[in-house]
Amino acid sequence: MRRFTIYICAAVLIITCGQRMKAEGLHAARPLAGYACMMLNLTDAQMRDNSLMVPVYAGPSTTSGRVGNASAIVIAKSPLHIVNGFAEMLFPNGATVWIDAKMLRPYHSESNPNAHCTPSLMSNGKPGLG
Amino acid sequence: MNECVVALFRVAEIRRASIRACGSGIAALVSAVLASGLGLDLCESAFGRVPQSLNGAPVQVQPYVPEPGVPLITITPGALNPFPVGDGTGSGGYGTGNGGDGTGIAADGAGTGGDGNGGGETGSGSVGSSTALSAMLAQPWGTVAVANTQVLGVNASAIAATCVLESGCQNIAAASGSTVSGAFQMTNATYTSDINAALAGNPSLSSQITPGLAGKMDPATEAVAAAQDLKSAATSLQSSGISNPTVLDTRGYYNFGARYGATLAQASDDQNMGSLLPTYSPSQLAANGITPTTTVGQWRQSIIAKIGNATNQPVLSG
């Protein structure tokens, strides 16, 4: 009977911890090999201009279909994979998309030269920045 | 009757047999885990169903032609949320802010402090659970604002969170030298652009709103423009690969600009804001109340502290 009680306590503890883990915020589960952070080749003002869009495409050409717009920091294939002037990158929803290679530049933080950015598989199962 | 008694005894026998069968430790553990897990899940769904699945007040029938023989029913504006959730933390502190940072919808400089004197985030009180929606519904204009928001397909909790963040849902006049005003603290330019877009997409709303710039000081009308603004932000985030933008995601969009909204939405809690806003200088970060070493998790928590679980609700309801 005592053993049975101990097992019940252990089970409740495990489940309670599980519930708490579910409530944790977004975090990096593991780095995404073969990818690197890059940023858009825009000035600070352009970067925050909501009317300025940098399109990404389904394939390495403008005729392949526009998928959406790039965010400030992109997850690019590393080393860069450029076809027809377009660089391969990973969209936040996990899709492989292509961006005009001239729109990319190396990642660098103005406020923190030692800043790091690691493309990662996030705890929500999607690509993200760790 | 006798059959029922016999059946009950049989059930009792089966239960006793089941307990004997659970004599081994492993079986006991498995049954305990299943029972506990099932119990917790049932508890979650039982308690979670009320506050967490509520995306705004239920759709209200708003007759515009009286039906003969039916008594006139008046819904008193300002009635409290019919689904009160309160977490006991209270909602005091409205109007006691620090002068604001001019961020949010009013931020026409996208993260550089906006107009700077618009009152900004005056709602510094803790608003937990679904109290953001309750806070808005407690206002005389709250019910109409919810109805207007529904027309645009925007989650009422999202628009409520915006007014709580911007003004504590108080209709604040513009300060000298600024056009930022109203419960949603919008500039004249942003308001005009958004209200025109909302009316273009939903002409039926034109009979519900106060026309012209005067509408900015009618919170139920300004709510339409604010909802349009939220919708645009959510749509923009979707085009950047964020599938179901939340209130928190749109805060990043407003505070730091469209491109950074999507970046923040996919960032780890332990990342530094200075790493994710690479073109921001330290002074620009300071203008937004953060430092290069402020973590994304800390920034997210600062939003959660103000609007509770409205933070992670989706912006689009349709």
Side-chain angles (χ1 to χ4, degrees):
Chain A
M1 183 61 190
R2 183 179 293 170
R3 182 179 288 181
F4 186 75
T5 307
I6 292 169
Y7 281 130
I8 288 179
C9 290
V12 169
L13 198 66
I14 290 166
I15 289 163
T16 306
C17 290
Q19 298 290 320
R20 186 163 293 175
M21 283 172 68
K22 267 167 51 177
E24 280 182 2
L26 189 62
H27 62 271
R30 63 176 170 82
L32 282 173
Y35 289 92
C37 290
M38 294 193 78
M39 50 195 282
L40 295 183
N41 192 15
L42 299 176
T43 65
D44 178 54
Q46 289 172 325
M47 202 71 104
R48 290 186 277 139
D49 179 356
N50 291 357
S51 65
L52 200 157
M53 306 292 179
V54 178
V56 296
Y57 300 93
S61 73
T62 53
T63 55
S64 62
R66 184 173 177 165
V67 175
N69 303 309
S71 57
I73 300 175
V74 304
I75 299 176
K77 190 79 178 166
S78 179
L80 273 177
H81 178 213
I82 297 177
V83 177
N84 192 30
F86 286 82
E88 182 183 338
M89 59 170 272
L90 208 53
F91 216 36
N93 62 8
T96 295
V97 296
W98 298 79
I99 184 171
D100 184 345
K102 293 194 297 293
M103 292 308 301
L104 297 180
R105 63 175 156 127
Y107 170 80
H108 169 78
S109 169
E110 186 77 22
S111 64
N112 180 9
N114 298 319
H116 66 91
C117 175
T118 309
S120 305
L121 180 67
M122 307 303 284
S123 52
N124 62 3
K126 294 178 180 175
L129 308 172
Chain B
M1 179 65 186
N2 284 342
E3 284 174 358
C4 287
V5 173
V6 170
L8 282 171
F9 274 115
R10 279 190 182 159
V11 170
E13 275 177 18
I14 291 166
R15 285 176 62 188
R16 275 198 293 273
S18 300
I19 291 168
R20 278 197 295 274
C22 288
S24 76
I26 293 172
L29 177 61
V30 170
S31 61
V33 167
L34 285 175
S36 307
L38 191 61
L40 278 172
D41 281 349
L42 285 174
C43 286
E44 264 190 1
S45 57
F47 288 106
R49 191 165 296 161
V50 175
Q52 293 179 356
S53 62
L54 179 65
N55 288 336
V59 176
Q60 308 267 330
V61 176
Q62 292 160 341
Y64 56 92
V65 177
E67 189 176 340
V70 175
L72 183 65
I73 300 169
T74 305
I75 298 172
T76 308
L80 284 175
N81 184 356
F83 305 101
V85 176
D87 60 0
T89 56
S91 58
Y94 293 154
T96 60
N98 55 8
D101 55 11
T103 56
I105 287 176
D108 55 6
T112 55
D115 286 4
N117 53 2
E121 297 180 0
T122 52
S124 60
S126 172
V127 182
S129 297
S130 295
T131 334
L133 184 56
S134 294
M136 190 172 83
L137 283 170
Q139 305 303 318
W141 45 268
T143 310
V144 182
V146 167
N148 289 345
T149 301
Q150 284 175 322
V151 174
L152 269 72
V154 172
N155 180 356
S157 283
I159 200 72
T162 304
C163 87
V164 167
L165 279 169
E166 294 295 335
S167 68
C169 291
Q170 302 302 305
N171 198 15
I172 300 172
S176 175
S178 170
T179 66
V180 177
S181 66
F184 297 90
Q185 293 286 284
M186 304 180 82
T187 62
N188 284 354
T190 307
Y191 172 80
T192 304
S193 166
D194 285 331
I195 199 74
N196 288 341
L199 293 176
N202 306 274
S204 64
L205 277 173
S206 59
S207 62
Q208 310 287 321
I209 65 161
T210 302
L213 263 181
K216 193 150 75 84
M217 288 309 288
D218 168 21
T221 299
E222 196 183 26
V224 174
Q228 177 65 41
D229 213 53
L230 273 177
K231 189 175 182 177
S232 301
T235 307
S236 171
L237 285 165
Q238 283 179 327
S239 75
S240 296
I242 308 301
S243 57
N244 192 17
T246 63
V247 172
L248 179 66
D249 296 336
T250 55
R251 293 315 297 179
Y253 174 100
Y254 286 127
N255 287 13
F256 306 108
R259 256 165 297 285
Y260 286 123
T263 297
L264 287 170
Q266 59 173 149
S268 172
D269 263 355
D270 57 6
Q271 256 288 13
N272 291 334
M273 294 296 277
S275 303
L276 295 168
L277 305 170
T279 60
Y280 272 65
S281 66
S283 60
Q284 287 172 322
L285 293 173
N288 282 282
I290 56 175
T291 69
T293 55
T294 301
T295 66
V296 174
Q298 288 170 330
W299 173 72
R300 286 174 177 154
Q301 281 301 322
S302 71
I303 307 291
I304 291 170
K306 291 171 182 168
I307 55 173
N309 77 344
T311 311
N312 291 314
Q313 291 215 21
V315 170
L316 302 175
S317 59

